[in-house]
Amino acid sequence: MKIFCDFDNTLAKTNEAIVKCVNEKFHLGCKEEDISDWGYRSLYSGMTEADIENFFESDTFWNNVRLYTGALDVLKGHEVHLCTVGTSKNLAKKRAFAESNGFIPAFVNSDYGYHPSDKKMFDLSGAIQIGD
């Protein structure tokens, strides 16, 4: 079975890792339950898009991101395309993750002005898409 699987908050618990980054940078005590928006400004009102981009590229993020329990077991034995959006630096780290787990990268690079809706560039016919 051909599967296109999103990474952020679908395969991996990225909100959990972002909270760690936010708390470390701004010396806060936020919890994942405090997130009520996609821009994470509910954690810290002074958050900028550059802050968020830097978090997703950071070693703190990648050292703390965890997969959902059983995710790899469910996908095992299938042709899995890791379909995700990110900056060049973020995608380089996602590529290492994808390749180490036998996934095929299907990346949309936001450095070139692409957005999550641009995932439509991939041919999903005959495949299952798993996203948030």
Side-chain angles (χ1 to χ4, degrees):
M1 175 67 56
K2 186 176 186 178
I3 299 172
F4 284 81
C5 186
D6 186 22
F7 183 80
D8 299 303
N9 294 313
T10 302
L11 181 61
K13 298 179 179 186
T14 54
N15 277 352
E16 188 177 86
I18 287 293
V19 167
K20 174 85 172 161
C21 293
V22 168
N23 286 340
E24 188 176 286
K25 177 173 177 138
F26 300 112
H27 310 288
L28 300 172
C30 297
K31 298 179 186 142
E32 191 175 355
E33 302 83 51
D34 297 329
I35 299 170
S36 62
D37 65 309
W38 288 108
Y40 301 108
R41 285 171 186 82
S42 53
L43 298 176
Y44 176 67
S45 63
M47 189 92 61
T48 66
E49 287 190 32
D51 289 328
I52 296 164
E53 187 176 286
N54 289 334
F55 292 150
F56 277 102
E57 295 174 347
S58 73
D59 289 337
T60 298
F61 175 85
W62 285 97
N63 290 336
N64 286 283
V65 72
R66 297 181 308 132
L67 300 181
Y68 282 97
T69 304
L72 291 179
D73 292 334
V74 169
L75 297 172
K76 188 176 182 179
H78 298 285
E79 179 186 326
V80 180
H81 298 253
L82 189 60
C83 192
T84 188
V85 177
T87 63
S88 295
K89 190 172 180 180
N90 172 261
L91 293 178
K93 293 180 181 199
K94 283 181 180 174
R95 178 176 299 283
F97 169 84
E99 292 174 350
S100 71
N101 286 286
F103 299 158
I104 301 163
F107 295 160
V108 177
N109 193 321
S110 62
D111 286 351
Y112 304 123
Y114 292 113
H115 303 293
S117 63
D118 291 312
K119 288 181 183 179
K120 65 186 174 198
M121 70 176 69
F122 300 109
D123 180 8
L124 305 179
S125 57
I128 292 174
Q129 181 181 16
I130 302 171
D132 53 347

